[in-house]
Amino acid sequence: MAKIFRRRGLVATALTGVLAVGLAACGGDDGGSGGGEDGPIRIGTSLPLTGEFSQPGLAAQQGYEVWQEMINAEGGLLGRDVELVVKDDASNQNTIVADYNALISQEEVDLLLGTFSSLLNLPASAVAEKNQMLYVEPAGGSPEMFSRGFKYLFFTQQATADLQGKLFAEYLAGLPEGEKPETAAYPSIDDPFALPAVEGMREIMEAGGIETVYTETYAIDTKNFDSIVTSMKSEDADVVVHGSVFEDGVGMVRAMLKADFKPQWLYQTTAPSLGEQYADAIGPENTEGILFGISHSPKANTPGNEEFVAKYEEMFGGEPPEDAADAFASGQVLAAAVEAVGDLEDQTAMADWLRENSVETILGDLSWNEDGSPTGEFLIGQWQGDSVEFVLPESIATTDTFIQGWQPGGTG
């Protein structure tokens, strides 16, 4: 089991047992409030339930639904049931702006929760900021998110994107000569989370003496990765650091297997965190040794995690993907701020409270800088067998085994 990591300072109760929510409407357009101070607290979000980001978007919806189910079972928020109002932004930046404006002005929701990806959270958080509403989001870690001087924005993972692969990059750069890879390739989707994650790793690895032999940024609707793989293979890259979301992550692995290109190390952002969906898509025999930055493990011994995993399995079957856990943690953070302030009206006070306190979540204790960026450190996960283990940092590793490289067992 993983060891718990804890931060110093004030810690608000996770409210995993106190937060219980009630998800009521999905994609609803039946506006209006939930019945005044005696009715449910209505919390609005728009998620990419269709389109390019639908896999992680659906996982985030599941995480919100588990949070709602649990908090309502425990008596609700401020003694009132929670009702989720969920819209589908179709992975589109224009649609999500319209959705959040509608949630505020037409649905008249009491609170907001964020969407998936920095690409969508960038415009959505601007709508919340304009309306002075707290915006707690589970999947928008691009440094650009926190460069705008926003006061109501809070990210509920451990660190921003540029630090996602820091521990693994430092691990490779620190290997002794003879074991250290010599060359690396850095393909990435044109995404505000993936790009800084890849760039952060490249800077560390170059400083450590690992030569960059290939870089490429491709459009989000790219479906064919053959030419990218051909280039990486011709450059004989020892390491591939791939900035991916989901479908492109799967497509890249399939193309690599088809071309019989098997670099010593393979690191991808986001895609490998999608659990069984990812394994099924590339073939379970091909996951062995793939690494990625991760915020959550079903095995983590963090407060409330066991209950979350059990409820997820009950509601949806299987282990929860990372995006579901991140969304659940967003619910925990939102609830902690609401309970601390004691009403729904003063959302400026909620934001001030979060800047001054840490919150205990299933991801561990979270705290924030003035700009809403988190102050912690990502974990490094690795596919081992049919599950994911934490391998870095060593202090909270869930296994003593660190597989030295990608070991695909099939040809895709």
Side-chain angles (χ1 to χ4, degrees), residues 141 155 157-168 193 267 292-296 322 326 374 376-381 392-393 396:
F155 177 42
Q157 293 186 33
Q158 294 92 337
T160 50
D162 52 322
L163 302 175
Q164 193 205 41
K166 174 175 177 284
L167 290 177
F168 178 55
F193 180 88
Y267 178 100
F292 56 102
I294 188 169
S295 57
H296 173 261
E322 180 188 22
D326 294 338
E377 194 169 59
F378 270 109
L379 317 173
I380 299 298
L392 294 172
I396 61 166

Side-chain angles (χ1 to χ4, degrees), residues 259-330:
D260 195 27
F261 173 52
K262 301 173 183 177
Q264 180 183 354
W265 295 94
L266 175 59
Y267 178 100
Q268 292 184 301
T269 64
T270 305
S273 71
L274 271 292
E276 293 179 2
Q277 297 173 9
Y278 177 75
D280 290 344
I282 69 169
E285 71 279 12
N286 296 317
T287 61
E288 191 74 357
I290 292 177
L291 291 135
F292 56 102
I294 188 169
S295 57
H296 173 261
S297 167
K299 298 179 180 179
N301 190 23
T302 46
N305 192 44
E306 182 178 355
E307 292 81 0
F308 161 70
V309 172
K311 177 56 73 172
Y312 182 93
E313 290 176 346
E314 175 189 321
M315 292 176 65
F316 302 107
E319 291 188 341
E322 180 188 22
D323 290 304
D326 294 338
F328 185 90
S330 286

Side-chain angles (χ1 to χ4, degrees), residues 354-382:
L354 286 176
R355 272 188 286 274
E356 295 171 357
N357 294 274
S358 62
V359 178
E360 191 177 76
T361 77
I362 60 170
L363 307 182
D365 293 352
L366 297 178
S367 60
W368 298 269
N369 297 304
E370 283 295 312
D371 58 9
S373 62
T375 61
E377 194 169 59
F378 270 109
L379 317 173
I380 299 298
Q382 184 178 49

Side-chain angles (χ1 to χ4, degrees), residues 38-312:
D38 295 329
I41 294 174
R42 306 181 80 232
I43 302 178
T45 185
S46 178
L47 294 166
L49 304 179
T50 57
E52 191 71 25
F53 302 146
S54 61
Q55 291 286 349
L58 289 166
Q61 182 184 27
Q62 291 173 342
Y64 284 151
E65 290 179 2
V66 173
W67 176 74
Q68 173 192 8
E69 189 78 11
M70 291 178 68
I71 199 169
N72 281 344
E74 293 290 337
L77 186 59
L78 299 178
R80 296 163 61 185
D81 278 352
V82 169
E83 174 184 315
L84 291 179
V85 182
V86 183
K87 291 182 174 293
D88 176 14
D89 57 53
S91 307
N92 183 282
Q93 283 188 308
N94 293 323
T95 303
I96 201 165
V97 170
D99 280 357
Y100 274 92
N101 276 315
L103 287 167
I104 295 168
S105 63
Q106 297 174 20
E107 299 283 355
E108 298 180 352
V109 297
D110 300 297
L111 298 164
L112 297 174
L113 281 168
T115 185
F116 173 84
S117 85
S118 295
L119 185 73
L120 298 173
N121 273 306
L122 279 164
S125 59
V127 174
E129 188 77 13
K130 181 180 179 181
N131 288 275
Q132 298 184 326
M133 292 187 70
L134 186 65
Y135 190 80
V136 180
E137 53 95 357
S142 168
E144 185 180 355
M145 290 285 298
F146 312 101
S147 64
R148 299 170 293 172
F150 283 8
K151 301 299 183 185
Y152 296 87
L153 168 66
F154 294 87
F155 177 42
T156 59
Q157 293 186 33
Q158 294 92 337
T160 50
D162 52 322
L163 302 175
Q164 193 205 41
K166 174 175 177 284
L167 290 177
F168 178 55
E170 291 176 341
Y171 173 83
L172 288 182
L175 287 173
E177 296 301 326
E179 296 181 25
K180 183 192 302 185
E182 297 179 355
T183 57
Y186 303 91
S188 180
I189 191 172
D190 188 5
D191 176 82
F193 180 88
L195 283 170
V198 169
E199 180 62 18
M201 294 183 68
R202 186 175 68 82
E203 290 178 0
I204 294 170
M205 291 164 63
E206 285 183 346
I210 300 173
E211 180 187 3
T212 297
V213 295
Y214 179 81
T215 62
E216 177 67 22
T217 301
Y218 56 84
I220 60 173
D221 58 351
T222 299
K223 304 297 183 186
N224 189 317
F225 298 93
D226 291 347
S227 62
I228 293 176
V229 169
T230 297
S231 296
M232 293 192 296
K233 185 177 182 180
S234 68
E235 296 292 346
D236 196 23
D238 297 327
V239 185
V240 171
V241 174
H242 179 205
S244 66
V245 177
F246 179 73
E247 292 182 3
D248 60 315
V250 170
M252 186 70 79
V253 172
R254 288 175 174 171
M256 292 167 73
L257 293 170
K258 185 173 70 174
D260 195 27
F261 173 52
K262 301 173 183 177
Q264 180 183 354
W265 295 94
L266 175 59
Y267 178 100
Q268 292 184 301
T269 64
T270 305
S273 71
L274 271 292
E276 293 179 2
Q277 297 173 9
Y278 177 75
D280 290 344
I282 69 169
E285 71 279 12
N286 296 317
T287 61
E288 191 74 357
I290 292 177
L291 291 135
F292 56 102
I294 188 169
S295 57
H296 173 261
S297 167
K299 298 179 180 179
N301 190 23
T302 46
N305 192 44
E306 182 178 355
E307 292 81 0
F308 161 70
V309 172
K311 177 56 73 172
Y312 182 93

